[in-house]
Amino acid sequence: MKIRISCKALSEELFKLQGVVSQRSTLAILSNALLEASGNTLTLHATDLDISVSTSCACEVLEPGRVTLQARSLFDIVKNLEESSLELETEDNHWAQLKSGAVSCRIVGTHPDDFPHILDTSNVELFPIGSEVFLDMIDKTLFSVSTDDARANLTGAFFKVSEKRTLLMVSTDGHRLSKIETRPEEFVAGDNIPNALREGIIIPRKGLAEIRRTVDVKGPELSFGILENSIVFKYGPMSLSVRLIEGTFPDFTQVLPRESDKRAVVQKDLFLQSLKFVSLFASSKTYNVRLSLGPEGLQLYASDPDRGEATKTVPVEYSGPAVKAGYNFRYLLDVLNVLESDVVSVEIIDTLSPTLLRDVDRDEMLFVVMPMRL
Amino acid sequence: MLTWAEIDGQQRALAVLERAITTDHVHHAYLFTGPPGVGKFQVAHAMAAVVNCLARAEGQFADLCGVCTSCRKIGNKQHPDILFIEPDGNIVKNIKIAQIREIQKSAVSAPYEARIRVVILNDAHQMTEEASNALLKTLEEPSMRMRLILVTDQPHRLLDTIISRCQAIRFGALDQAVVVSRLELLLAKDGEAVSKELVAVAAGYGEGSLGRSLAIVRSGMLEGRREFLGEVLGIGPGQPRALLALAESWSKAGEAMGERLDVLKLFLRDVMLFKTSGERRVVNHDLLELVERCAMPATIDDVLEMIAHVCRAQDLLTRNVNAQLILEELLREFARFNYSGNSGKTRVSA
């Protein structure tokens, strides 16, 4: 392989790979990137076996071929070159010789066949999905994805195309649940939606985080498709495939509380600020904060034998009977932090039933937090 | 990585595995047991490659091709689905629970590109207690496309519950002839010239373990053997200075100290065998005259007693007793042994 390429273009593409190349894997090859030159493009691949990123850029191919080089160090090398272009040529022992202006170096490489199998994503049927809407869906659900490997099916977000052609994303860790259902303008799907999507798939946490990191709302169009057991995202020249989590997502409709009349509407900023204040007195083991709804308003209370106790009452629109329940305040903060509206609704049914938090302006999403025993 | 055909002297074990592959009944977990250095790990490695070789049709056994991408990656230990778990650590080496968790994490999903994911736990007895208990769950509920191979030379150190969840495959000690031919091959590959005679002696020392024989050749212990035995057997009573000097220089030898005791033990064994059945089974064949000279006047009981002394010295050394004192004591016994039965002369004149 022999190519001539602009340093800036190469370092930009290499940057996109850095999120998935791992330094500390037992499999040394995973810290490498696979470079493929053919036609007049250079394609770069990197994978951590769960997420694979491929990206390409234009370059002058003097001799087509493939090589794998250490992704991190190649990025560092290219970033620090002063000239505008460089020439990369592989040797027989799979090392690569890099020349740029006065610089000449040899970089250790390995046989390209040692690189893990890369999914061929060129023939996947893609559905456009508005990047703004999709990123919003990730924001609203990512925080409640479980981190407990013992329940692998919860370590990702459930994603499904419903019969009404809406996109549904749900995540839960057993203590709380986030659900959002949207209908992006960009998403026009006929009857050819893959079965997997109709039934729902589980996208792992890391894959969602990686999308969140690389996709920019102002960037090119984002589209997705299903290939074997991966979901493939295309974003400009870049394609990102994420291996789906096998297993079934629990039937979450059962834990969703039914509409109740005990709905309280509260100013979000005030609620957030009060919660932060009262939580200063929450136990550092249980993070427990008690919410009580009554005629005098929403009362927040926390106590800890080592710190003392505190209450704060915030005004609410509420007409139901008095109820109270205890929560892990961090779960409440997580929800309030992702809501954009000025007012939120809180529905406490009783001390032990799941509590519902909603954005009053946006019906399409809801958040459930399980109370703690007081 | 060796191919199936290149593995010598373990036909019985290989036959069991071949049959499992042919009938497509590869057990979910195997326990490879047997002395160290007889090819257990090699078989496990080759097995992982055979099962996944792209050139092999499913449901029939064929040796690994060695050239397909799967075989290449497995040979280089760069295959994403073949996990090698080895004892790890700076001071105490063992297999930790984090390493077992790693297996469990990968077991959740289907193999990345292999037909069957293979996990090889080398020196499985080095698992910590927590790691062993964590592994039980994986052994209990194996995933469809994953096989475990536990390799160990000390199965008694594994939990009974682990052993009962695996199909045990016993690997025997290798025949002397197999060790000799393999050893010659390996040494030739590394360009090391070692005489045929020494190779045969090393094979004897290894007691059917290729790995140990190779280590013995590499340690250079064989070359110094004659001189060293001469020194020990040359000591007689009334030479306290020579005895003390020898003990002192010996106690400073560090690692080699244990090896030298092994040499002594094996030499005494040869003496004993020579007395009862002639030269046929003698390991130190190149030192036959020395063996003979020693064997002549001694009784079997004398030799047995000396072996017991050497064993005791080895035992004490592991217990952190002052090395020089142990060796002085041992050499004193040798001085007596060398002298006994001889009228005023040691058996080997120093």
Side-chain angles (χ1 to χ4, degrees):
Chain A
M1 177 180 115
K2 190 174 180 184
I3 54 168
R4 195 173 295 137
I5 188 168
S6 128
C7 293
K8 189 161 165 286
L10 184 58
S11 78
E12 266 170 24
E13 299 310 316
L14 282 169
F15 174 72
K16 294 177 188 165
L17 305 182
Q18 301 304 320
V20 295
V21 288
S22 50
Q23 304 299 323
R24 281 181 302 133
S25 171
T26 40
L27 216 56
I29 192 87
L30 296 186
S31 58
N32 286 20
L34 175 65
L35 281 68
E36 275 181 320
S38 68
N40 52 4
T41 50
L42 174 72
T43 313
L44 300 101
H45 306 276
T47 179
D48 69 356
L49 301 182
D50 291 323
I51 306 173
S52 307
V53 175
S54 302
T55 175
S56 60
C57 61
C59 80
E60 195 181 331
V61 178
L62 306 168
E63 196 184 304
R66 312 193 304 156
V67 70
T68 77
L69 301 172
Q70 245 261 307
R72 178 84 230 188
S73 69
L74 184 64
F75 178 54
D76 288 340
I77 293 166
V78 175
K79 202 167 58 175
N80 287 310
L81 291 174
E82 287 138 7
E83 298 291 316
S84 64
S85 79
L86 66 90
E87 224 179 84
L88 196 71
E89 186 178 2
T90 52
E91 298 173 9
D92 290 339
N93 59 359
H94 308 295
W95 283 36
Q97 205 166 69
L98 187 148
K99 283 190 189 132
S100 171
V103 172
S104 164
C105 47
R106 293 176 68 224
I107 308 167
V108 180
T110 47
H111 196 288
D113 283 351
D114 286 350
F115 202 76
H117 173 73
I118 295 288
L119 271 185
D120 179 13
T121 57
S122 52
N123 295 321
V124 190
E125 189 180 357
L126 291 169
F127 306 98
I129 179 170
S131 48
E132 196 176 344
V133 175
F134 191 64
L135 291 185
D136 185 48
M137 290 175 82
I138 295 177
D139 280 342
K140 298 290 185 283
T141 50
L142 190 58
F143 66 90
S144 59
V145 174
S146 169
T147 47
D148 179 12
D149 285 330
R151 293 168 78 183
N153 58 341
L154 297 186
T155 57
F158 182 70
F159 182 63
K160 176 181 171 170
V161 178
S162 73
E163 284 115 38
K164 288 173 274 169
R165 295 285 181 271
T166 56
L167 301 179
L168 172 74
M169 198 180 268
V170 182
S171 72
T172 178
D173 64 0
H175 305 293
R176 53 192 167 154
L177 177 145
S178 314
K179 169 176 169 272
I180 179 166
E181 194 165 0
T182 59
R183 189 194 289 273
E185 283 167 24
E186 291 88 342
F187 181 69
V188 275
D191 296 326
N192 51 354
I193 297 170
N195 258 340
L197 273 178
R198 287 173 199 269
E199 279 157 26
I201 55 176
I202 307 172
I203 310 174
R205 177 192 193 90
K206 199 181 166 202
L208 293 172
E210 191 58 26
I211 292 275
R212 186 78 199 79
R213 198 182 71 88
T214 42
V215 173
D216 182 18
V217 178
K218 297 185 198 79
E221 185 182 67
L222 180 71
S223 53
F224 76 103
I226 297 286
L227 179 66
E228 292 170 28
N229 57 351
S230 297
I231 182 165
V232 179
F233 292 96
K234 286 254 165 132
Y235 176 67
M238 184 171 166
S239 89
L240 193 140
S241 48
V242 180
R243 287 228 303 166
L244 300 172
I245 294 175
E246 288 166 36
T248 47
F249 201 75
D251 182 11
F252 57 89
T253 49
Q254 286 181 359
V255 297
L256 297 181
R258 266 169 282 131
E259 291 288 325
S260 79
D261 51 348
K262 296 167 185 168
R263 180 170 160 150
V265 178
V266 58
Q267 293 291 322
K268 190 195 79 179
D269 288 341
L270 187 58
F271 188 17
L272 188 60
Q273 189 265 328
S274 311
L275 194 59
K276 279 183 182 160
F277 175 77
V278 171
S279 68
L280 296 174
F281 288 87
S283 151
S284 55
K285 284 199 193 87
T286 63
Y287 305 105
N288 192 335
V289 168
R290 195 181 73 196
L291 304 188
S292 351
L293 277 171
E296 68 284 355
L298 173 66
Q299 190 190 54
L300 295 88
Y301 168 80
S303 77
D304 179 37
D306 295 336
R307 299 170 202 231
E309 56 180 359
T311 58
K312 183 166 180 183
T313 310
V314 288
V316 285
E317 291 169 33
Y318 181 66
S319 55
V323 279
K324 61 179 175 186
Y327 303 91
N328 182 331
F329 74 85
R330 295 180 306 167
Y331 292 173
L332 297 175
L333 284 180
D334 282 342
V335 174
L336 295 177
N337 280 329
V338 297
L339 293 179
E340 293 101 3
S341 69
D342 293 337
V343 278
V344 294
S345 75
V346 183
E347 291 166 42
I348 305 175
I349 297 165
D350 56 47
T351 315
L352 293 175
S353 300
T355 295
L356 211 56
L357 288 142
R358 279 172 182 274
D359 184 330
V360 289
D361 301 331
R362 291 180 64 187
D363 261 355
E364 71 267 29
M365 55 194 191
L366 61 86
F367 304 90
V368 179
V369 179
M370 286 303 290
M372 298 164 94
R373 267 174 209 281
L374 286 175
Chain B
M1 180 176 59
L2 295 175
T3 66
W4 208 254
E6 280 169 342
I7 295 164
D8 253 351
Q10 297 296 357
Q11 271 61 30
R12 211 171 52 89
L14 294 190
V16 174
L17 297 172
E18 269 172 42
R19 199 160 50 238
I21 293 172
T22 313
T23 55
D24 215 5
H25 279 121
V26 179
H27 211 264
H28 73 278
Y30 285 102
L31 178 65
F32 286 6
T33 64
V38 296
K40 299 184 298 294
F41 181 78
Q42 294 294 344
V43 172
H45 199 174
M47 171 107 174
V50 166
V51 169
N52 285 304
C53 179
L54 301 177
R56 183 179 73 90
E58 209 129 345
Q60 69 187 63
F61 178 84
D63 202 344
L64 56 105
C65 70
V67 289
C68 67
T69 52
S70 167
C71 287
R72 272 184 51 96
K73 285 181 196 174
I74 295 174
N76 295 339
K77 297 193 180 178
Q78 286 297 337
H79 197 292
D81 295 315
I82 311 299
L83 277 68
F84 294 93
I85 310 288
E86 305 261 356
D88 190 26
N90 291 332
I91 303 157
V92 186
K93 288 204 180 296
N94 45 28
I95 297 177
K96 297 176 182 60
I97 191 163
Q99 292 168 282
I100 304 296
R101 295 256 159 81
E102 199 81 349
I103 303 174
Q104 288 168 341
K105 217 168 148 188
S106 66
V108 173
S109 53
Y112 185 77
E113 53 177 279
R115 253 183 240 179
I116 302 282
R117 172 181 289 123
V118 182
V119 179
I120 300 175
L121 285 113
N122 202 12
D123 287 333
H125 58 267
Q126 300 279 56
M127 273 189 286
T128 61
E129 200 181 325
E130 304 86 66
S132 305
N133 284 311
L135 185 66
L136 282 178
K137 191 171 146 56
T138 316
L139 287 171
E140 186 100 285
E141 303 158 3
S143 63
M144 283 292 286
R145 289 170 67 193
M146 175 161 128
R147 301 289 181 270
L148 287 118
I149 303 178
L150 280 69
V151 176
T152 178
D153 50 45
Q154 298 168 36
H156 55 275
R157 285 176 60 190
L158 287 171
L159 294 180
D160 286 346
T161 37
I162 286 192
I163 295 173
S164 69
R165 283 165 173 79
C166 303
Q167 183 181 351
I169 300 213
R170 275 192 51 77
F171 286 67
L174 297 168
D175 281 346
Q176 175 101 358
V178 172
V179 177
V180 170
S181 71
R182 280 279 144 204
L183 210 51
E184 277 172 347
L185 221 67
L186 281 171
L187 292 169
K189 209 159 97 186
D190 292 348
E192 289 174 53
V194 178
S195 74
K196 263 191 159 28
E197 200 177 27
L198 273 189
V199 168
V201 175
Y205 267 83
E207 293 169 11
S209 159
L210 181 57
R212 235 168 87 191
S213 308
L214 190 64
I216 284 163
V217 173
R218 296 252 157 94
S219 71
M221 178 185 101
L222 296 177
E223 284 81 356
R225 199 171 27 127
R226 183 188 296 268
E227 189 193 344
F228 158 70
L229 284 172
E231 277 174 352
V232 173
L233 298 171
I235 285 203
Q239 302 176 344
R241 261 182 138 171
L243 188 150
L244 291 175
L246 182 58
E248 190 182 349
S249 75
W250 197 2
S251 67
K252 285 182 184 141
E255 284 276 304
M257 197 153 58
E259 273 171 21
R260 287 184 185 174
L261 287 174
D262 277 334
V263 168
L264 265 182
K265 206 157 68 172
L266 209 73
F267 177 80
L268 290 169
R269 164 194 175 273
D270 279 353
V271 172
M272 202 160 62
L273 279 172
F274 185 84
K275 269 195 93 65
T276 50
S277 58
E279 61 179 271
R280 202 163 48 86
R281 309 211 54 161
V282 169
V283 168
N284 292 293
H285 230 271
D286 53 337
L287 302 179
L288 207 55
E289 16 67 68
L290 201 60
V291 173
E292 198 175 346
R293 237 185 304 162
C294 250
M296 289 276 257
T299 65
I300 292 275
D301 284 341
D302 285 344
V303 183
L304 275 175
E305 196 187 328
M306 288 317 292
I307 290 180
H309 283 304
V310 176
C311 288
R312 196 175 123 78
Q314 276 183 323
D315 181 48
L316 288 175
L317 275 177
T318 60
R319 288 164 199 260
N320 239 348
V321 181
N322 183 318
Q324 189 164 346
L325 289 179
I326 300 170
L327 296 175
E328 280 172 13
E329 174 79 15
L330 181 67
L331 285 174
R332 212 169 49 83
E333 295 296 338
F334 264 97
R336 218 167 34 216
F337 169 72
N338 294 342
Y339 190 70
S340 69
N342 269 9
S343 44
K345 255 173 47 194
T346 56
R347 284 180 194 134
V348 183
S349 39

